[in-house]
């Protein structure tokens, strides 16, 4: 195999797919990228057995072929090289020589037959959505994913394609974030899947602002195709909890708050909380919200925010991080908080089809 | 900083002394408070007359009987001891509010600020000893020094019925400590003691003269500098008046070593309930539970695990205790089983959950336990019991 490639293009391609590779894998072949030179392009593939990523890089192929090379080392070398053309030649023992200007490297690879097979983009149906819109949906929900591995099904984001819309949900059992986006597909293509966290963060990294995203749902896995880049991921098995059931229906009280003001007040007050003791009290009274906390051996904090509120006084205790998370990830100037009392879930909404359910803390 | 003045007061053979006070016919005789000699269990306290025979506290009662068959074995009457203890502590309070109780019969008192009213440390110690003798008809030994460690060493030296004031000045203090065995230093237990012994340290003088670097190699940096400081009589600990209990536990020694898992489980449930009641009485929530098992050859193991969230109900305590126990194979018959909790917090904030009502259920169980406590307080412990297993 022999090809020459422009440094920036090669580096771009390698950096796009190298994140999937685990730093300390148990299988050496998983530290390598599969590189196939064919036609006038390179196809670079990485996998950790759960997620695979593939991209194409334009190049001049002198002699088609394939090999696998340690991607992190290869990328580090290409990053350090001067701008210009890079000539890569791989012999039948999978040893690559990399030559550019005055630099020369020899890198030991592994044969491609050891590389695990990567799923192909096929499926009975392909959903199409704008890349930027999909990334925004992930941003508005993914922070609520559970990190507790005892309930695997919550370690990912639910994608529900149903009734001509995509509903995305994430929850750790304490709070739940949900966002919806209308897209068109036939009713027989209704499907639900739970996308693992690693795939979510990788997608958020590679998704652009515009351009089409194609989603191929397959049995136990899903494939995302964006331009020349493809990401496929295994899905989390299991039944996602009935999230509709925990969204409060009618709430007695409704408050309108400036998002930035609320966020900065919470940031300030939460400075005097600790991981162990983070209970922060939000007291809503006529046109005023008082945020206060009292941490033993640390200190106290209190702040007030002007709000639009005419209901009865409600005092409710939250983990402030859980209130700040959605505020950091939506862009509206104003948010609405709906609640009933101090011990039932509160609801945070904004102008888009987004909602966030948050359970309070109980002090005993 | 002003030189502090700390008293360490230790009642002499307290339980035995109370018994002898209340039973004049036992005075001058070996009185042994604790388990009867024909049963499992140990000596709690013994009179000085019994100590002559080599009897000491924590010795199995059978062994005590072997050494001193003429001994008068008395079961503890805690109420009498608690009453006497209350009187003694009331006397301390006349001299200083800064009292750190160590046990029912032992305390540190910081009298630094009491000098103008009552005189120096020696004078105050004399007054306390006289008051205890006159009002409670018992004897106490008191050590006087400028810190807790030295005061405690001094009261040991003063025993019985004595008073010892640690001399002033670094050289005098070093001489006072020099001949003590290393085991007298606070923090030296069995393991550290053995390590020191192997490295050739036998007395406090050996520590005083040790090359600090060598000592650090033997014990590690932290412990080495701690012991060196103590060997020169330095100890900055304050007299802690608001003493917080850091753990609560209960244990049970079987009359016959127990091979029956279910029988041990039953005892363990009872212990968990007792611990739970005390946790609630203190208004605490506990974060960690600990199981203790002693096999028939006296080997002891402990196993601990955190609760999901801080708890105080018997159900959660029992569940953890049994989980820890069930994970342990019975390699030998069980001599002793114990259960304790630690990691206390006075309040608890609990994140409620969207999908399960565990926190609600726990709150209900806590209310139930508190109600049972209240009924038992009012009607007696036997008024209400559990019928079904958890």
């Amino acid at each position: 195999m022999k090809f020459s490639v422009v440094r920036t293009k090669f580096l771009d391609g390698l950096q796009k797919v190298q994140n999937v590779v685990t730093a300390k894998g148990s299988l050496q072949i998983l530290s390598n990228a599969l590189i196939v030179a064919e036609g006038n392009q390179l196809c670079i593939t990485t996998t950790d057995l759960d997620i695979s990523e593939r991209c194409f890089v334009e190049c001049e192929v002198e002699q088609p072929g394939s090999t696998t090379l340690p991607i992190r080392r290869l990328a580090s070398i290409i990053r350090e090289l001067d701008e210009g053309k890079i000539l890569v030649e791989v012999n039948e023992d999978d040893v690559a020589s990399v030559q550019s200007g005055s630099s020369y490297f020899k890198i030991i690879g592994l044969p491609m037959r050891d590389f695990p097979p990567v799923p192909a983009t096929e499926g009975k149906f392909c959903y199409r959505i704008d890349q930027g819109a999909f990334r925004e949906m992930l941003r508005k929900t993914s922070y609520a994913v559970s990190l507790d591995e005892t309930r695997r099904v919550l370690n990912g984001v639910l994608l529900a394609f149903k009734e001509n819309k995509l509903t995305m949900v994430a929850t750790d059992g304490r709070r739940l974030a949900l966002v919806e986006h209308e897209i068109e597909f036939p009713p027989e293509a209704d499907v639900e899947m739970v996308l693992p966290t690693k795939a979510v963060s990788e997608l958020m990294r590679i998704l652009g602002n515009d351009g089409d995203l194609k989603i191929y749902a397959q049995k136990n896995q899903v494939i995302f195709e964006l331009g020349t880049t493809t990401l496929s991921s295994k899905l989390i098995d299991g039944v996602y909890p009935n999230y509709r059931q925990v969204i409060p229906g009618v709430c007695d009280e409704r408050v309108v708050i400036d998002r930035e003001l609320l966020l900065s007040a919470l940031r300030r007050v939460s400075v005097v909380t600790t991981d162990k003791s983070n209970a922060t009290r939000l007291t809503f009274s006529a046109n005023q919200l008082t945020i206060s906390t009292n941490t033993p051996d640390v200190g106290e904090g209190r702040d007030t925010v002007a709000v639009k509120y005419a209901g009865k006084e409600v005092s409710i205790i939250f983990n402030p991080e859980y209130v700040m998370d959605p505020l950091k990830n939506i862009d509206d100037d104003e948010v609405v908080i709906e609640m009933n009392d101090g011990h039932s879930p509160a609801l945070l909404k904004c102008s888009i089809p987004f909602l966030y359910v948050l359970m309070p803390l109980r002090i005993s | 900083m002003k030189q502090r003045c700390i008293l360490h007061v230790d009642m002499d053979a307290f339980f035995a002394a109370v018994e002898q006070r209340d039973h004049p016919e036992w005075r001058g005789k070996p009185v042994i408070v604790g388990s009867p000699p024909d049963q499992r269990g140990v000596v709690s306290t013994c009179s000085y007359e019994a100590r002559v025979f080599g009897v000491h506290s924590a010795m199995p009662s059978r062994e005590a009987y072997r050494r001193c068959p003429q001994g008068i074995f008395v079961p503890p009457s805690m109420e009498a001891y608690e009453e006497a203890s209350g009187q003694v502590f009331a006397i301390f309070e006349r001299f200083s509010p800064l009292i750190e109780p160590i046990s029912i019969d032992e305390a540190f008192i910081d009298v630094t600020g009491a000098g103008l009213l009552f005189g120096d440390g020696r004078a105050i110690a004399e007054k306390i000893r006289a008051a205890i003798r006159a009002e409670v008809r018992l004897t106490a030994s008191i050590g006087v020094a400028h810190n807790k460690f030295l005061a405690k060493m001094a009261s040991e030296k003063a025993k019985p019925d004595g008073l010892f004031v640690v001399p002033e000045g670094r050289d005098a203090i070093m001489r006072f400590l020099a001949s003590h065995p290393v085991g007298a230093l606070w923090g030296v237990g069995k393991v550290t003691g053995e390590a020191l012994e192997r490295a050739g340290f036998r007395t406090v003088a050996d520590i005083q003269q040790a090359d600090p670097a060598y000592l650090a190699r033997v014990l590690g940096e932290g412990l080495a500098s701690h012991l060196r400081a103590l060997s020169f009589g330095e100890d900055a600990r304050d007299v802690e008046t608001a003493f917080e209990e850091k753990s609560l536990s209960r244990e049970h020694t079987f009359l016959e070593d127990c091979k029956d898992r279910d029988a041990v489980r039953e005892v363990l449930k009872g212990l968990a309930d007792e611990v739970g009641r005390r946790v609630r009485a203190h208004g605490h929530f506990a974060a960690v539970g600990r199981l203790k098992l002693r096999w028939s050859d006296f080997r002891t193991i402990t196993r601990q695990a955190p609760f999901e969230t801080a708890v105080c109900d018997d159900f959660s305590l029992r569940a953890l205790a049994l989980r820890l126990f069930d994970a342990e194979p019975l390699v030998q018959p069980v001599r002793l089983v114990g259960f304790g909790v630690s990691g206390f917090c006075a309040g608890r904030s609990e994140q409620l959950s969207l999908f399960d009502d565990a926190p609600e259920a726990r709150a209900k169980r806590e209310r139930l336990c508190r109600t049972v406590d209240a009924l038992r307080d009012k009607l007696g412990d036997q008024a209400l019991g559990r019928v079904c297993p958890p």
Side-chain angles (χ1 to χ4, degrees):
Chain A
M1 175 169 91
K2 194 172 176 186
F3 61 88
S4 64
V5 59
V6 176
R7 176 187 166 273
T8 25
K9 288 185 178 167
F10 197 21
L11 185 58
D12 260 7
L14 293 171
Q15 285 178 339
K16 227 175 232 169
V17 298
Q18 76 165 1
N19 255 38
V20 169
V21 174
T22 38
K24 283 189 197 113
S26 48
L27 277 172
Q28 178 147 30
I29 190 76
L30 298 183
S31 311
N32 284 17
L34 171 65
I35 301 178
V36 180
E38 207 173 33
N40 59 350
Q41 60 186 8
L42 288 178
C43 173
I44 310 173
T45 310
T46 52
T47 182
D48 70 354
L49 299 178
D50 289 328
I51 301 174
S52 306
E53 237 175 330
R54 193 180 68 203
C55 72
F56 289 94
V57 174
E58 188 189 311
C59 74
E60 283 169 35
V61 178
E62 275 184 46
Q63 198 189 328
S66 59
T67 187
T68 80
L69 295 173
I71 185 164
R72 286 185 187 271
R73 189 164 313 263
L74 182 62
S76 306
I77 290 170
I78 307 301
R79 192 178 304 115
E80 297 307 325
L81 290 178
D82 288 335
E83 199 50 71
K85 276 224 164 170
I86 298 169
L87 185 69
V88 181
E89 195 173 352
V90 182
N91 68 15
E92 57 272 28
D93 295 325
D94 296 282
V95 177
S97 22
V98 177
Q99 206 164 346
S100 172
S102 59
S103 314
Y104 174 80
F105 294 90
K106 202 178 207 177
I107 303 167
I108 318 283
L110 290 168
M112 80 163 281
R113 63 169 183 274
D114 296 342
F115 199 82
V118 170
T121 48
E122 57 189 32
K124 61 178 185 213
F125 190 81
C126 153
Y127 309 87
R128 283 165 191 271
I129 181 171
D130 181 65
Q131 283 189 36
F134 193 80
R135 195 186 56 197
E136 272 305 300
M137 292 180 80
L138 291 174
R139 177 184 158 221
K140 289 182 169 60
T141 50
S142 56
Y143 52 81
V145 165
S146 167
L147 304 174
D148 175 3
E149 291 187 354
T150 56
R151 217 170 158 190
R152 290 277 300 142
V153 77
L154 298 186
N155 300 145
V157 174
L158 173 77
L159 312 186
F161 295 88
K162 211 173 179 184
E163 290 158 2
N164 274 326
K165 66 189 172 201
L166 165 61
T167 306
M168 222 182 252
V169 182
T171 180
D172 58 5
R174 299 157 184 163
R175 47 18 188 310
L176 177 145
L178 177 150
V179 64
E180 289 178 338
H181 188 85
E182 294 198 355
I183 54 176
E184 288 196 356
F185 52 87
E188 65 268 24
D190 279 6
V191 70
E192 279 197 2
M193 58 179 103
V194 183
L195 189 63
T197 319
K198 189 174 175 188
V200 170
S201 45
E202 194 52 22
L203 270 175
M204 287 175 73
R205 197 179 66 86
I206 62 175
L207 282 167
N209 287 328
D210 38 43
D212 237 12
L213 170 68
K214 293 182 192 159
I215 305 172
Y216 299 86
Q218 301 177 337
K219 194 173 164 29
N220 303 329
Q221 66 181 9
V222 58
I223 299 176
F224 298 89
E225 199 177 272
L226 43 148
T228 58
T229 308
T230 311
L231 181 145
S232 58
S233 171
K234 281 191 183 158
L235 295 171
I236 298 180
D237 242 5
V239 181
Y240 205 78
N242 183 356
Y243 57 91
R244 295 277 170 205
Q245 192 178 285
V246 301
I247 299 170
V250 188
C251 288
D252 299 342
E253 309 298 345
R254 181 187 155 92
V255 194
V256 180
I257 315 177
D258 183 285
R259 183 180 62 86
E260 288 281 352
L261 287 182
L262 176 58
L263 182 56
S264 50
L266 283 164
R267 272 207 180 105
R268 281 193 290 273
V269 172
S270 66
V271 171
V272 285
T273 63
T274 61
D275 285 350
K276 269 191 170 168
S277 168
N278 54 25
T280 299
R281 186 179 290 276
L282 275 64
T283 306
F284 298 88
S285 49
N287 289 331
Q288 180 170 296
L289 162 62
T290 306
I291 303 169
S292 60
T293 189
N294 184 344
T295 312
D297 304 326
V298 176
E300 291 180 35
R302 191 172 65 242
D303 214 322
T304 53
V305 181
V307 298
K308 289 176 201 155
Y309 183 57
K312 65 169 192 276
E313 182 169 303
V314 176
S315 181
I316 187 162
I317 300 165
F318 290 122
N319 175 343
E321 294 297 330
Y322 292 171
V323 189
M324 290 192 280
D325 280 340
L327 298 175
K328 289 175 192 162
N329 289 292
I330 52 182
D331 307 302
D332 289 51
D333 292 339
E334 282 188 334
V335 293
V336 176
I337 293 179
E338 295 179 3
M339 66 212 151
N340 287 311
D341 49 45
H343 48 261
S344 27
L347 204 51
L348 190 142
K349 294 175 173 174
C350 60
S351 63
I352 58 158
F354 165 83
L355 65 85
Y356 183 76
V357 189
L358 175 54
M359 288 303 283
L361 275 84
R362 187 185 44 210
I363 304 279
S364 30
Chain B
M1 200 181 98
K2 190 183 168 191
Q3 180 89 306
R4 294 182 300 163
C5 183
I6 313 286
L7 270 47
H8 179 256
V9 187
D10 198 355
M11 301 299 291
D12 299 321
F14 183 55
F15 294 178
V18 172
E19 296 295 346
Q20 287 178 320
R21 179 194 70 182
D22 297 346
H23 301 88
E25 68 277 19
W26 293 346
R27 287 179 199 163
K29 295 188 175 146
V31 173
I32 299 168
V33 180
S35 287
D38 57 343
Q39 273 187 27
R40 293 297 268 282
V42 295
V43 174
S44 174
T45 318
C46 61
S47 69
Y48 284 91
E49 294 83 357
R51 292 184 195 191
V52 176
F53 295 92
V55 178
H56 57 77
S57 54
M59 171 182 279
S61 291
R62 280 187 184 136
E63 173 65 18
Y65 181 73
R66 206 183 55 73
R67 294 192 188 197
C68 182
Q70 69 273 47
I72 301 162
F73 285 80
V74 187
S77 35
M78 287 311 291
E79 274 176 25
Y81 312 151
E82 273 165 15
E83 192 194 341
S85 172
Q87 292 171 312
V88 168
F89 276 82
I91 291 170
F92 299 163
E93 278 170 25
R94 293 179 208 159
F95 296 90
S96 170
L98 301 177
I99 301 163
E100 178 179 334
I102 305 298
S103 67
I104 191 166
D105 65 340
E106 189 185 348
F108 287 111
I109 312 172
D110 186 336
V111 295
T112 310
L116 282 176
L117 278 173
F118 302 111
D120 63 5
R122 176 186 292 277
I124 295 172
E126 290 288 15
K127 288 191 173 89
I128 290 176
R129 275 167 42 78
I132 292 174
R133 201 180 302 117
E135 297 170 33
V136 198
R137 292 186 291 127
L138 292 172
T139 62
S141 298
I142 304 186
V144 183
H146 67 267
N147 65 37
K148 286 183 7 180
F149 166 65
L150 288 173
K152 170 129 175 122
M153 299 286 279
S155 75
E156 287 295 324
K157 195 173 169 71
K159 273 189 170 303
D161 194 14
L163 166 64
F164 186 83
V165 182
V166 176
E168 296 282 323
R170 187 180 164 95
D171 290 344
I173 289 171
M174 279 178 68
R175 271 198 305 280
F176 164 62
L177 291 173
S179 59
H180 285 86
V182 288
L185 295 177
W186 162 57
V188 179
K190 191 162 169 267
V191 175
T192 310
E194 282 167 6
L196 286 167
E197 177 83 30
R198 274 197 303 277
F201 299 103
R202 281 179 188 82
T203 63
V204 174
D206 295 337
I207 306 265
Q208 290 169 347
Q209 289 150 17
D211 169 19
Y214 176 62
L215 194 61
R217 272 203 305 284
V218 174
L219 297 174
E221 203 72 54
L223 190 54
S225 65
H226 164 78
L227 290 191
R228 259 178 61 79
L230 287 181
S231 76
F232 295 114
E234 295 161 13
D235 173 18
R237 288 175 300 161
D238 279 325
V239 169
E240 285 174 31
T241 49
F243 177 71
E244 267 183 47
E245 276 193 270
K246 294 194 170 62
S247 68
L248 279 172
S249 63
R250 275 277 187 263
E251 41 187 61
H252 173 84
T253 306
F254 291 95
L255 289 173
E256 295 284 341
D257 290 350
C258 184
K259 292 181 207 158
D260 179 359
R261 272 207 96 88
D262 290 336
V264 180
R265 284 179 116 249
E266 284 310 311
V267 170
L268 187 53
K269 285 181 198 169
L271 295 174
D273 289 357
E274 284 178 42
V275 171
R277 189 168 172 189
R278 284 166 70 201
V279 172
R280 290 188 294 277
H282 282 82
H284 283 155
F285 296 92
V288 179
R290 190 179 58 253
L291 170 77
K292 177 173 170 184
L293 285 172
R294 178 167 296 151
W295 309 118
S296 53
D297 70 354
F298 273 86
R299 273 189 308 125
T300 307
I301 59 164
T302 58
R303 297 286 181 266
Q304 70 172 39
F307 294 102
E308 212 170 293
T309 178
V311 297
C312 72
D313 65 296
D314 295 343
F315 300 86
S316 303
L317 264 54
R318 277 186 176 203
L320 185 76
L322 294 176
R323 181 160 67 81
L324 291 171
F325 177 68
D326 290 343
E328 256 350 282
L330 286 195
V331 293
Q332 280 188 20
V334 178
R335 180 184 171 83
L336 172 149
V337 58
F339 183 70
V341 293
S342 57
F344 293 129
C345 51
R348 171 185 58 185
S349 63
E350 199 177 4
Q351 172 70 53
L352 300 181
S353 165
L354 285 162
F355 301 112
D356 71 54
D357 60 351
E360 288 302 328
R362 188 157 38 238
K364 269 190 191 162
R365 291 198 299 267
E366 282 169 9
R367 277 201 300 279
L368 175 62
C369 291
R370 288 185 201 283
T371 307
V372 171
D373 290 348
L375 283 169
R376 285 181 179 161
D377 287 344
K378 198 171 165 184
L379 304 170
D381 287 358
Q382 303 310 315
L384 207 56
R386 282 227 228 180
V387 178
C388 53

